Short mmCIF file of all heavy atoms in Angstrom, two decimals:
data_model
loop_
_atom_site.label_atom_id
_atom_site.label_comp_id
_atom_site.label_asym_id
_atom_site.label_seq_id
_atom_site.Cartn_x
_atom_site.Cartn_y
_atom_site.Cartn_z
N ARG G 8 29.63 129.05 87.28
CA ARG G 8 30.22 130.36 87.00
C ARG G 8 31.38 130.59 87.95
O ARG G 8 31.41 130.04 89.05
CB ARG G 8 29.16 131.47 87.19
CG ARG G 8 28.11 131.45 86.11
CD ARG G 8 26.81 132.11 86.49
NE ARG G 8 26.87 133.50 86.88
CZ ARG G 8 25.79 134.19 87.28
NH1 ARG G 8 24.59 133.62 87.31
NH2 ARG G 8 25.89 135.44 87.64
N TRP G 9 32.31 131.39 87.53
CA TRP G 9 33.43 131.85 88.38
C TRP G 9 33.08 133.27 88.77
O TRP G 9 33.18 134.20 87.97
CB TRP G 9 34.72 131.79 87.58
CG TRP G 9 35.95 132.15 88.37
CD1 TRP G 9 36.57 133.36 88.40
CD2 TRP G 9 36.71 131.29 89.22
NE1 TRP G 9 37.66 133.32 89.22
CE2 TRP G 9 37.78 132.06 89.73
CE3 TRP G 9 36.59 129.96 89.61
CZ2 TRP G 9 38.72 131.54 90.61
CZ3 TRP G 9 37.53 129.45 90.47
CH2 TRP G 9 38.58 130.22 90.97
N VAL G 10 32.59 133.44 90.02
CA VAL G 10 32.09 134.73 90.48
C VAL G 10 32.90 135.16 91.70
O VAL G 10 32.95 134.44 92.70
CB VAL G 10 30.59 134.66 90.84
CG1 VAL G 10 30.10 136.00 91.35
CG2 VAL G 10 29.77 134.19 89.65
N LYS G 11 33.52 136.34 91.59
CA LYS G 11 34.29 136.88 92.70
C LYS G 11 33.77 138.26 93.07
O LYS G 11 33.53 139.10 92.20
CB LYS G 11 35.77 136.97 92.34
CG LYS G 11 36.45 135.62 92.28
CD LYS G 11 37.87 135.66 91.75
CE LYS G 11 38.78 136.64 92.37
NZ LYS G 11 40.14 136.62 91.83
N VAL G 12 33.60 138.49 94.37
CA VAL G 12 33.22 139.78 94.92
C VAL G 12 34.22 140.14 96.01
O VAL G 12 34.83 139.25 96.61
CB VAL G 12 31.78 139.80 95.48
CG1 VAL G 12 30.75 139.54 94.39
CG2 VAL G 12 31.61 138.79 96.62
N ALA G 13 34.38 141.45 96.26
CA ALA G 13 35.31 141.89 97.30
C ALA G 13 34.89 143.24 97.84
O ALA G 13 34.25 144.02 97.14
CB ALA G 13 36.73 141.97 96.73
N PRO G 14 35.27 143.53 99.08
CA PRO G 14 34.99 144.85 99.64
C PRO G 14 35.73 145.93 98.86
O PRO G 14 36.81 145.68 98.31
CB PRO G 14 35.53 144.76 101.07
CG PRO G 14 35.80 143.34 101.33
CD PRO G 14 35.97 142.66 100.02
N GLU G 15 35.16 147.12 98.85
CA GLU G 15 35.79 148.26 98.17
C GLU G 15 37.19 148.54 98.71
O GLU G 15 38.07 148.97 97.98
CB GLU G 15 34.93 149.52 98.32
CG GLU G 15 33.70 149.52 97.45
CD GLU G 15 33.99 149.68 95.97
OE1 GLU G 15 35.06 150.21 95.59
OE2 GLU G 15 33.13 149.28 95.18
N GLY G 16 37.39 148.30 100.00
CA GLY G 16 38.67 148.62 100.63
C GLY G 16 39.78 147.62 100.37
O GLY G 16 40.89 147.80 100.83
N GLY G 17 39.49 146.55 99.64
CA GLY G 17 40.51 145.56 99.33
C GLY G 17 40.46 144.37 100.26
O GLY G 17 39.50 144.17 101.00
N GLY G 18 41.49 143.56 100.22
CA GLY G 18 41.55 142.33 100.98
C GLY G 18 41.16 141.15 100.11
O GLY G 18 41.01 141.27 98.89
N ALA G 19 41.02 140.01 100.72
CA ALA G 19 40.68 138.79 99.98
C ALA G 19 39.28 138.89 99.39
O ALA G 19 38.38 139.50 99.96
CB ALA G 19 40.77 137.58 100.90
N ALA G 20 39.12 138.27 98.23
CA ALA G 20 37.81 138.21 97.57
C ALA G 20 37.06 136.97 98.05
O ALA G 20 37.66 136.03 98.57
CB ALA G 20 38.00 138.14 96.06
N LEU G 21 35.75 137.00 97.88
CA LEU G 21 34.94 135.81 98.08
C LEU G 21 34.66 135.21 96.71
O LEU G 21 34.23 135.92 95.79
CB LEU G 21 33.62 136.15 98.76
CG LEU G 21 33.68 136.64 100.19
CD1 LEU G 21 32.27 136.93 100.70
CD2 LEU G 21 34.37 135.62 101.09
N LEU G 22 34.91 133.93 96.58
CA LEU G 22 34.55 133.19 95.38
C LEU G 22 33.18 132.58 95.65
O LEU G 22 33.05 131.69 96.49
CB LEU G 22 35.57 132.10 95.08
CG LEU G 22 35.23 131.20 93.89
CD1 LEU G 22 35.23 132.00 92.59
CD2 LEU G 22 36.19 130.04 93.82
N LEU G 23 32.16 133.12 95.01
CA LEU G 23 30.80 132.63 95.23
C LEU G 23 30.63 131.32 94.47
O LEU G 23 30.73 131.29 93.25
CB LEU G 23 29.77 133.67 94.76
CG LEU G 23 29.91 135.06 95.38
CD1 LEU G 23 28.79 135.97 94.88
CD2 LEU G 23 29.93 135.00 96.90
N ALA G 24 30.40 130.25 95.20
CA ALA G 24 30.30 128.91 94.62
C ALA G 24 28.91 128.36 94.86
O ALA G 24 28.49 128.21 96.01
CB ALA G 24 31.34 127.99 95.24
N LYS G 25 28.20 128.08 93.77
CA LYS G 25 26.85 127.52 93.91
C LYS G 25 26.96 126.11 94.46
O LYS G 25 27.66 125.25 93.92
CB LYS G 25 26.14 127.51 92.56
CG LYS G 25 24.70 127.08 92.67
CD LYS G 25 23.97 127.24 91.36
CE LYS G 25 22.54 126.77 91.49
NZ LYS G 25 21.83 126.86 90.21
N ALA G 26 26.26 125.88 95.57
CA ALA G 26 26.33 124.59 96.25
C ALA G 26 25.73 123.49 95.37
O ALA G 26 24.66 123.64 94.80
CB ALA G 26 25.58 124.66 97.57
N ALA G 27 26.45 122.38 95.28
CA ALA G 27 25.93 121.19 94.63
C ALA G 27 24.93 120.55 95.59
O ALA G 27 24.84 120.93 96.77
CB ALA G 27 27.07 120.23 94.32
N ASP G 28 24.15 119.60 95.10
CA ASP G 28 23.10 118.98 95.92
C ASP G 28 23.59 118.53 97.29
O ASP G 28 22.94 118.79 98.30
CB ASP G 28 22.48 117.79 95.17
CG ASP G 28 21.69 118.22 93.95
OD1 ASP G 28 21.25 119.38 93.90
OD2 ASP G 28 21.52 117.38 93.05
N ASP G 29 24.73 117.87 97.35
CA ASP G 29 25.24 117.36 98.63
C ASP G 29 25.83 118.45 99.51
O ASP G 29 26.15 118.22 100.67
CB ASP G 29 26.24 116.23 98.40
CG ASP G 29 27.45 116.66 97.59
OD1 ASP G 29 27.34 117.61 96.79
OD2 ASP G 29 28.52 116.04 97.75
N GLN G 30 25.98 119.66 98.98
CA GLN G 30 26.52 120.79 99.75
C GLN G 30 25.45 121.75 100.23
O GLN G 30 25.72 122.63 101.03
CB GLN G 30 27.53 121.57 98.89
CG GLN G 30 28.69 120.74 98.42
CD GLN G 30 29.46 121.42 97.30
OE1 GLN G 30 28.95 122.30 96.62
NE2 GLN G 30 30.69 120.99 97.09
N ALA G 31 24.23 121.59 99.75
CA ALA G 31 23.16 122.57 100.01
C ALA G 31 22.92 122.80 101.50
O ALA G 31 22.65 123.92 101.91
CB ALA G 31 21.87 122.13 99.32
N ALA G 32 23.03 121.76 102.31
CA ALA G 32 22.79 121.90 103.75
C ALA G 32 23.86 122.75 104.43
O ALA G 32 23.64 123.26 105.53
CB ALA G 32 22.73 120.53 104.41
N SER G 33 24.99 122.95 103.78
CA SER G 33 26.07 123.75 104.37
C SER G 33 25.95 125.24 104.09
O SER G 33 26.66 126.04 104.70
CB SER G 33 27.42 123.25 103.85
OG SER G 33 27.65 121.92 104.27
N VAL G 34 25.07 125.62 103.17
CA VAL G 34 24.90 127.04 102.85
C VAL G 34 24.41 127.76 104.11
O VAL G 34 23.44 127.36 104.73
CB VAL G 34 23.92 127.24 101.68
CG1 VAL G 34 23.62 128.72 101.48
CG2 VAL G 34 24.47 126.63 100.40
N GLY G 35 25.11 128.80 104.51
CA GLY G 35 24.77 129.55 105.71
C GLY G 35 25.29 128.93 107.00
O GLY G 35 25.19 129.53 108.07
N ARG G 36 25.86 127.74 106.91
CA ARG G 36 26.37 127.06 108.10
C ARG G 36 27.81 126.61 107.89
O ARG G 36 28.25 125.61 108.46
CB ARG G 36 25.49 125.87 108.45
CG ARG G 36 24.08 126.27 108.81
CD ARG G 36 23.35 125.32 109.73
NE ARG G 36 24.13 124.68 110.75
CZ ARG G 36 24.45 125.20 111.95
NH1 ARG G 36 24.08 126.41 112.26
NH2 ARG G 36 25.13 124.50 112.83
N GLN G 37 28.52 127.33 107.06
CA GLN G 37 29.88 126.92 106.72
C GLN G 37 30.81 126.93 107.93
O GLN G 37 31.83 126.24 107.92
CB GLN G 37 30.43 127.84 105.62
CG GLN G 37 29.65 127.66 104.33
CD GLN G 37 30.12 128.60 103.25
OE1 GLN G 37 31.12 128.34 102.60
NE2 GLN G 37 29.40 129.70 103.07
N ALA G 38 30.46 127.67 108.96
CA ALA G 38 31.29 127.73 110.17
C ALA G 38 30.56 127.12 111.36
O ALA G 38 30.92 127.38 112.51
CB ALA G 38 31.71 129.15 110.46
N GLY G 39 29.51 126.34 111.12
CA GLY G 39 28.81 125.67 112.20
C GLY G 39 28.11 126.61 113.16
O GLY G 39 27.96 126.29 114.34
N GLY G 40 27.68 127.78 112.69
CA GLY G 40 26.98 128.73 113.54
C GLY G 40 27.85 129.78 114.19
O GLY G 40 27.35 130.70 114.83
N ARG G 41 29.15 129.66 114.04
CA ARG G 41 30.08 130.66 114.58
C ARG G 41 30.25 131.81 113.60
O ARG G 41 29.97 131.66 112.42
CB ARG G 41 31.46 130.03 114.82
CG ARG G 41 31.47 128.99 115.92
CD ARG G 41 32.88 128.51 116.13
NE ARG G 41 33.73 129.63 116.54
CZ ARG G 41 34.37 129.70 117.68
NH1 ARG G 41 34.29 128.73 118.54
NH2 ARG G 41 35.11 130.75 117.97
N VAL G 42 30.77 132.92 114.09
CA VAL G 42 31.16 133.99 113.18
C VAL G 42 32.32 133.46 112.35
O VAL G 42 33.30 132.94 112.88
CB VAL G 42 31.59 135.26 113.96
CG1 VAL G 42 32.23 136.27 113.04
CG2 VAL G 42 30.39 135.87 114.68
N ALA G 43 32.18 133.61 111.03
CA ALA G 43 33.20 133.08 110.14
C ALA G 43 33.96 134.16 109.40
O ALA G 43 35.09 133.96 108.98
CB ALA G 43 32.56 132.14 109.12
N TRP G 44 33.34 135.33 109.22
CA TRP G 44 33.93 136.39 108.42
C TRP G 44 33.97 137.68 109.22
O TRP G 44 33.07 137.96 110.01
CB TRP G 44 33.13 136.59 107.13
CG TRP G 44 33.13 135.33 106.31
CD1 TRP G 44 34.10 134.92 105.45
CD2 TRP G 44 32.14 134.31 106.31
NE1 TRP G 44 33.76 133.70 104.92
CE2 TRP G 44 32.56 133.30 105.43
CE3 TRP G 44 30.92 134.15 106.97
CZ2 TRP G 44 31.82 132.16 105.19
CZ3 TRP G 44 30.19 133.00 106.74
CH2 TRP G 44 30.65 132.03 105.86
N PHE G 45 35.01 138.46 108.98
CA PHE G 45 35.25 139.67 109.74
C PHE G 45 35.44 140.81 108.76
O PHE G 45 36.40 140.82 108.00
CB PHE G 45 36.48 139.49 110.64
CG PHE G 45 36.32 138.35 111.60
CD1 PHE G 45 36.57 137.04 111.20
CD2 PHE G 45 35.87 138.57 112.88
CE1 PHE G 45 36.39 135.98 112.07
CE2 PHE G 45 35.68 137.52 113.77
CZ PHE G 45 35.95 136.22 113.36
N LEU G 46 34.51 141.73 108.78
CA LEU G 46 34.51 142.86 107.87
C LEU G 46 34.92 144.09 108.66
O LEU G 46 34.20 144.54 109.54
CB LEU G 46 33.11 143.03 107.26
CG LEU G 46 32.97 143.93 106.07
CD1 LEU G 46 33.87 143.49 104.92
CD2 LEU G 46 31.52 143.94 105.60
N GLU G 47 36.11 144.62 108.36
CA GLU G 47 36.65 145.74 109.11
C GLU G 47 36.28 147.06 108.44
O GLU G 47 36.40 147.20 107.22
CB GLU G 47 38.17 145.60 109.21
CG GLU G 47 38.80 146.54 110.19
CD GLU G 47 40.27 146.22 110.40
OE1 GLU G 47 41.01 146.11 109.41
OE2 GLU G 47 40.68 146.09 111.56
N ALA G 48 35.82 148.00 109.24
CA ALA G 48 35.41 149.32 108.74
C ALA G 48 36.31 150.39 109.33
O ALA G 48 36.60 150.38 110.53
CB ALA G 48 33.97 149.60 109.13
#
């Protein structure tokens, strides 16, 4: 599926991509444990 979500306030969207078998271990660790995303309020 082509699934996009975004904050109400605008900015870049996230394209939600279902991990293939070889990508499953990267779910939740896309930045190696560092903060990867910054949500400004």
Side-chain angles (χ1 to χ4, degrees):
R8 290 157 59 182
W9 184 263
V10 178
K11 288 172 51 179
V12 297
E15 285 289 338
L21 293 180
L22 176 65
L23 305 182
K25 186 173 178 182
D28 292 337
D29 60 333
Q30 300 165 339
S33 296
V34 173
R36 297 207 36 84
Q37 295 177 81
R41 293 184 61 119
V42 169
W44 299 277
F45 301 82
L46 194 57
E47 192 172 51

